[in-house]
Amino acid sequence: REGDVAGFLDVHETCGACYACLVAKQTTRCPHRKVYGITYGAADGLLGGWSEAIWLKPGVKLLRLPAGLDPETYCAGGCGLNTAIHAVDRAEIRLGDSVVVLGVGPVGQSIIAFASLSGAGQVIAVGAPEPRLTFAARMGATRCLGMDVGEEERQSQILSWTGGRGADVVIEAAGAPEAVRQALGLVRDGGRVVVCGQYTD
């Protein structure tokens, strides 16, 4: 209702009839989807990007914030929090799993928290700078590795911490193409890799 404080889902106009929507259950990959801040340009109207007001097109899903939740607190999580929930859901973390999170920005920090809450036995944060790694420990990381440690040494350390097998789950939240390649070297045979930071071709 008018006056409610609400968030909104930026992916919309999915068709509900294609392979991504019906079979894969990945509506964010629907070829017909529109995304605020990504698929619209300035000529399309007030549809996002640093403006004080935007037009929410018909059909965009709204999420009314509960009473008592400060809007600034919700905004601190914003898109990163929703992305993290989706990534952890896709990862299917099981009780006791070892989880490596590549990237300790807003998305990575949220993934660390959700992985810990999901019952992971180990949550290993990899990233920089040092204050973010310190914060990652507060969010639930059981071990942290900085980018000052070389790639081969990081891989060796993670293999050591996971009994030589590699991690059960690796979630890429760095947005750097090389992190996707590194994830494949850190996951155990038969493990799971979720790519959520790398958003370009």
Side-chain angles (χ1 to χ4, degrees):
R1 292 186 173 87
E2 186 174 352
D4 284 345
V5 178
F8 66 95
L9 302 184
D10 58 348
V11 178
H12 60 283
E13 293 188 25
T14 53
C15 70
C18 67
Y19 180 87
C21 287
L22 289 178
V23 180
K25 305 294 185 198
Q26 293 176 297
T27 55
T28 57
R29 306 314 311 147
C30 174
H32 306 287
R33 80 191 191 293
K34 297 291 185 186
V35 187
Y36 282 94
I38 295 175
T39 61
Y40 292 117
D44 294 315
L46 297 174
L47 296 169
W50 308 111
S51 59
E52 292 182 14
I54 64 172
W55 175 43
L56 295 181
K57 296 180 79 174
V60 170
K61 292 179 174 57
L62 298 177
L63 306 169
R64 184 171 20 129
L65 300 186
L69 176 59
D70 183 54
E72 285 78 13
T73 300
Y74 173 77
C75 286
C79 177
L81 188 69
N82 298 333
T83 301
I85 289 172
H86 187 63
V88 170
D89 185 49
R90 301 291 297 175
E92 298 178 358
I93 296 170
R94 299 182 187 103
L95 188 64
D97 273 354
S98 55
V99 178
V100 173
V101 180
L102 301 176
V104 289
V107 174
Q109 297 288 355
S110 296
I111 289 170
I112 289 164
F114 292 134
S116 180
L117 290 170
S118 296
Q122 291 189 78
V123 180
I124 302 167
V126 179
E130 188 61 37
R132 286 187 179 188
L133 290 175
T134 301
F135 192 73
R138 290 179 53 199
M139 294 296 278
T142 56
R143 299 180 188 268
C144 297
L145 278 171
M147 299 306 290
D148 55 326
V149 178
E151 182 181 341
E152 287 185 17
E153 189 179 344
R154 283 196 312 266
Q155 184 176 17
S156 176
Q157 187 64 74
I158 290 169
L159 285 173
S160 172
W161 290 336
T162 57
R165 293 180 303 276
D168 298 303
V169 175
V170 179
I171 303 177
E172 180 278 316
E178 62 269 20
V180 176
R181 177 187 50 76
Q182 291 172 22
L184 298 174
L186 299 173
V187 70
R188 69 169 170 79
D189 184 24
R192 296 171 302 288
V193 173
V194 177
V195 177
C196 73
Q198 179 58 29
Y199 204 77
T200 68
D201 293 341

